[in-house]
């Protein structure tokens, strides 16, 4: 008989107009890595929020049994006392506080007089940091370490709470391949010591690499649980369970009709850091994008890809920006993002929640934000027209929502991404810059976005795609520029590009 540490039975959770979970069942065995997967909006994060007490007992129906005991968690701290710790996709760390301060925030170690015992705080923090292989001083500020190390801080923080069941929601979405593998190896090492983990991820190769069992959700319901060594755990089999059909090709076919007309050309572009102005972030970069073309930018984290595109988009990043920018053959200066939008450039940020969308506002409000002039008359917004346009963009993007008046923060990640794309498509750009357009979203939503990209270029637009996923670049792009340490390291056509050649370009120019 299986030794289950967790059993969730008949869990149903409703929001206004939406049944997020419908009679969901989940069993997790002690000491396993259990993957919870499904398309965006399938209910994965909602189920984990029920488990952790984020959605309190009474706000859902069904039972949660942990360590053989039925639990009625009313708040997050109730589950943490039992050793259940959840790490969300958006890390809950305060950049200007130290690692030690973050680790014990709200759970401070105090002296007998009630003052914070800093010596013990930092020594305990470093003890837990060693458990996760983080070799930093506990007094280092969070802002001074990379995203991969910040993930390790969150896990060390979980160990400080005597974690028995660790839940990780998209833990590698912001990590490069090397850091992601290190994190998964760490989970597998913890498993040897008896730690149970639940991992939510859209990266199917990670599931195959580390998971013992996989539970698939679809439309708020449990579809099946697959076990390594017993069931077929191939990517194709998992995708079929997620989307309910075979997906023969991850990347939609496109007839490549690249024109010789150059839409955007950048020459000798150099960008300095906004704070440390002596530091060059992008160094003497030149590239071009033609009409009807998808151009990819590959590189490791810190290569300068995002900074380059933001600096082009109306100098929204950097200082002492020098170089020449040509739009349709005409030399142009874009002094701010408004000028970039006016000249037909759109920039879809990688950080949709902080920089792309206003989460507490409606889909309607967000959709028209980049080009309000289209729904204004004499400076006043025509609400009926705005509603009509928002409905049209929702349908074109395939955004799943009961209403465009829904707060955008209530949508799943994939639907937020579609709404963000809709916002910029409403602005009618000729050049669309996509920064990690499919980060943290499922294969079905990815396919929809790929189709939208293909539609854009078939209509004579140009697309620039930054992606950390090499298969995505290889599957979608006509050409790929490779960046390394702020410089262009290579240019590859679709025919000659491979993962090996991309990595070769990176490694040749790395110090």
């Amino acid at each position: 008989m299986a030794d289950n540490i967790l059993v969730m039975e008949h869990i149903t959770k409703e929001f206004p107009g939406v049944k997020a979970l419908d009679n969901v069942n989940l069993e997790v065995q002690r000491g396993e890595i259990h993957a919870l997967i499904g398309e965006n909006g399938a209910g994965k994060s909602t189920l984990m929020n029920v488990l952790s007490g984020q959605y309190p007992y009474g706000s859902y129906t069904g039972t949660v049994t942990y360590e053989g005991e039925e639990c009625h968690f009313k708040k997050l701290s109730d589950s943490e006392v039992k050793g259940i710790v959840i790490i969300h996709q958006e890390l809950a760390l305060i950049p200007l506080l130290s690692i030690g301060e973050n680790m014990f925030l709200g759970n401070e170690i105090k002296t007998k007089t009630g003052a914070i015992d800093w010596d013990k705080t930092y020594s305990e923090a470093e003890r837990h940091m060693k458990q996760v292989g983080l070799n930093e001083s506990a007094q280092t500020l969070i802002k001074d370490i990379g995203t991969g190390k910040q993930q390790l801080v969150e896990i060390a923080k979980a160990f400080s709470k005597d974690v028995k069941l660790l839940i990780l929601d998209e833990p590698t979405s912001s990590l490069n391949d090397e850091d992601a593998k290190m994190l998964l190896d760490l989970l597998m090492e913890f498993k040897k010591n008896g730690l149970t983990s639940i991992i939510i991820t859209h990266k199917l190769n990670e599931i195959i690499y580390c998971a013992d069992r996989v539970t698939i959700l679809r439309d708020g319901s449990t579809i099946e649980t697959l076990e390594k060594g017993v069931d077929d755990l191939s990517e194709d089999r998992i995708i079929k369970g997620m989307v309910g059909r075979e997906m023969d090709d991850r990347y939609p076919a496109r007839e490549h009709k690249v024109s010789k007309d150059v839409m955007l050309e950048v020459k000798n572009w150099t960008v300095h850091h906004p704070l440390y102005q002596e530091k060059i972030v992008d160094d003497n970069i030149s590239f071009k994008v033609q009409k009807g073309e998808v151009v990819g930018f590959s590189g490791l984290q810190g290569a300068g890809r995002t900074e380059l595109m933001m600096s082009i988009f109306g100098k929204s990043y950097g200082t002492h920006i020098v170089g020449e920018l040509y739009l349709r053959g005409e030399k142009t200066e874009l002094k701010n993002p408004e000028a970039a939008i006016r000249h037909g450039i759109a920039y879809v940020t990688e950080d949709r929640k902080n920089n792309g969308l206003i989460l507490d506002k409606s889909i309607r409000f967000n959709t028209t934000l980049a080009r309000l002039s289209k729904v204004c008359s004499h400076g006043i917004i025509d609400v009926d027209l705005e509603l009509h346009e928002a409905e049209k963009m929702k349908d074109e993007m395939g955004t799943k929502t009961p209403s465009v008046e829904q707060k955008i923060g209530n949508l799943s990640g994939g639907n937020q991404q579609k709404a963000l794309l809709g916002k910029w498509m409403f602005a009618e750009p000729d050049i669309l810059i996509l920064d990690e357009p499919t980060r943290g979203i499922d294969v079905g939503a990815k396919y929809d976005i790929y189709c939208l990209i293909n539609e854009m270029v078939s209509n004579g637009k140009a697309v620039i795609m930054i992606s950390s996923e090499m298969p995505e670049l290889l599957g979608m792009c006509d050409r790929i520029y490779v960046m390394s340490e702020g410089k262009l390291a290579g240019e590859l056509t679709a025919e000659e590009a491979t993962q090996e050649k991309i990595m070769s370009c990176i490694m040749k120019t790395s110090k």
Side-chain angles (χ1 to χ4, degrees), residues 255-273:
E255 191 177 343
H256 297 262
K257 291 183 178 178
V258 179
S259 164
K260 290 182 180 179
D261 297 337
V262 177
M263 297 282 279
L264 169 69
E265 186 169 10
V266 172
K267 294 182 179 179
N268 310 119
W269 197 262
T270 297
V271 182
H272 291 251
H273 194 284

Side-chain angles (χ1 to χ4, degrees), residues 197-480:
S197 301
I198 298 174
I199 181 170
I200 298 173
T201 180
H202 291 302
K203 296 182 179 179
L204 303 185
N205 60 315
E206 295 180 354
I207 292 168
I208 293 165
Y209 180 68
C210 75
D212 299 296
R213 291 194 305 144
V214 177
T215 293
I216 299 172
L217 300 185
R218 191 195 314 147
D219 298 329
S221 299
T222 311
I223 299 301
E224 59 189 340
T225 296
L226 305 173
E227 185 172 347
K228 183 176 283 185
V230 176
D231 301 298
D232 178 7
L233 259 188
S234 65
E235 291 192 14
D236 289 342
R237 176 66 184 83
I238 293 169
I239 290 169
K240 184 180 178 183
M242 287 172 61
V243 302
R245 65 186 190 279
E246 302 278 359
M247 283 190 71
D248 298 326
D249 198 340
R250 306 273 186 90
Y251 304 100
R254 168 164 58 93
E255 191 177 343
H256 297 262
K257 291 183 178 178
V258 179
S259 164
K260 290 182 180 179
D261 297 337
V262 177
M263 297 282 279
L264 169 69
E265 186 169 10
V266 172
K267 294 182 179 179
N268 310 119
W269 197 262
T270 297
V271 182
H272 291 251
H273 194 284
L275 296 178
Y276 310 105
Q277 295 184 12
E278 70 285 354
K279 180 182 178 183
I280 295 176
V281 179
D282 293 300
D283 189 3
N284 197 35
I285 290 173
S286 300
F287 71 92
K288 63 182 179 181
V289 185
Q290 291 161 221
K291 188 176 182 179
E293 186 177 35
V294 180
V295 172
F297 274 77
S298 182
L300 302 178
Q301 273 193 324
R305 298 168 300 165
T306 292
E307 293 83 355
L308 173 65
M309 293 308 158
M310 287 181 70
S311 67
I312 289 167
F313 185 66
K315 299 183 178 178
S316 50
Y317 174 91
T319 54
H320 304 306
I321 299 169
V322 295
E324 297 176 349
L325 187 149
Y326 295 84
L327 290 173
R328 303 164 199 86
E330 185 176 329
K331 190 174 180 180
T332 309
E333 186 177 358
L334 305 175
K335 292 183 177 179
N336 51 47
E338 183 186 0
I341 294 168
R342 202 167 54 246
H343 282 82
I345 301 176
Y347 173 67
V348 179
T349 175
E350 63 177 331
D351 187 358
R352 61 178 174 260
K353 294 199 172 183
N354 289 316
N355 298 331
L357 299 167
I358 300 175
L359 297 179
D360 64 350
K361 295 293 186 179
S362 68
I363 298 167
R364 170 178 59 82
F365 179 94
N366 276 274
T367 298
T368 59
L369 206 52
R371 198 167 172 186
L372 279 170
S373 58
K374 284 181 66 178
V375 292
C376 283
S377 176
H378 305 294
I380 298 171
I381 294 173
D382 182 335
V383 177
D384 289 339
L385 178 59
E386 185 181 45
L387 187 64
H388 171 75
E389 292 293 341
E391 287 280 1
K392 193 165 82 172
M393 289 314 304
K394 173 187 78 89
D395 292 341
E396 283 185 24
M397 296 297 114
T399 309
K400 292 179 183 176
T401 176
S403 164
V404 293
E405 298 296 349
Q406 177 85 267
K407 276 188 182 180
I408 215 155
N410 292 340
L411 301 181
S412 68
N415 285 307
Q416 284 182 8
Q417 191 69 9
K418 288 179 182 179
L420 177 59
L421 271 170
K423 164 187 163 180
W424 286 110
M425 296 302 286
F426 178 75
E428 298 180 309
D430 294 321
I431 301 161
L432 181 65
I433 302 170
L434 299 168
D435 197 346
E436 302 288 359
T438 64
R439 172 174 285 170
I441 64 174
D442 63 78
V443 287
K446 283 182 179 183
Y447 191 87
D448 292 342
I449 288 171
Y450 298 149
C451 289
L452 291 169
I453 292 170
N454 285 353
E455 188 179 339
M456 273 203 76
V457 291
S458 69
N459 291 330
K461 314 290 188 182
V463 173
I464 297 171
M465 179 192 286
I466 299 172
S467 178
S468 298
E469 295 187 30
M470 286 192 214
E472 179 170 79
L473 293 175
L474 295 170
M476 288 298 297
C477 297
D478 299 288
R479 283 185 301 123
I480 298 172

Side-chain angles (χ1 to χ4, degrees), residues 7-179:
V7 178
M8 302 181 76
E9 296 179 289
H10 311 302
I11 304 295
T12 298
K13 170 70 178 170
E14 296 189 36
F15 297 102
V18 180
K19 184 177 274 191
L21 297 173
D22 187 6
N23 198 37
V24 170
N25 298 295
L26 173 68
E27 293 184 3
V28 178
Q29 295 174 7
R30 191 180 308 277
E32 74 170 340
I33 298 175
H34 195 111
L36 186 62
I37 64 170
E39 294 188 272
N40 290 101
K44 308 177 298 293
S45 296
T46 303
L47 185 65
M48 292 299 98
N49 284 331
V50 165
L51 169 60
S52 65
Q54 192 83 31
Y55 296 140
Y57 177 73
S59 69
Y60 62 88
T61 59
T63 59
V64 176
T65 304
Y66 174 72
E67 295 272 37
E69 176 187 347
E70 187 172 328
C71 299
H72 301 156
F73 299 138
K74 293 289 183 72
K75 53 187 182 297
L76 206 57
S77 58
D78 291 349
S79 63
E80 288 183 347
V81 167
K82 297 283 189 181
I84 301 172
V85 179
I86 184 168
I87 299 174
H88 292 283
Q89 184 175 353
E90 289 80 30
L91 302 180
L93 299 171
I94 299 174
L96 293 176
L97 293 184
S98 69
I99 294 173
E101 287 172 311
N102 271 278
M103 202 173 292
F104 291 99
L105 192 63
N107 188 31
E108 289 81 5
I109 300 172
K110 296 181 179 178
T111 64
K112 291 179 181 177
T113 61
I116 294 176
D117 187 334
W118 289 112
D119 288 340
K120 194 168 182 184
T121 294
Y122 288 124
S123 64
E124 280 294 294
E126 288 184 359
R127 181 170 73 85
H128 293 301
M129 287 160 65
K130 282 178 184 173
Q131 286 180 275
V132 301
L134 182 57
N135 299 314
E136 295 280 346
S137 164
Q139 297 187 46
T140 303
L141 299 184
I142 290 294
K143 73 177 182 64
D144 294 330
I145 62 174
T147 310
K149 289 184 177 180
Q150 288 181 26
Q151 274 286 7
L152 295 181
V153 171
E154 284 279 26
I155 296 173
K157 187 175 176 181
F159 276 106
S160 76
K161 298 173 182 177
D162 296 323
V163 63
K164 295 176 184 174
L165 175 59
L166 180 64
I167 304 161
L168 300 112
D169 193 347
E170 296 289 352
T172 65
S173 64
S174 300
L175 304 183
N176 60 39
D177 290 345
E178 186 180 351
D179 285 343

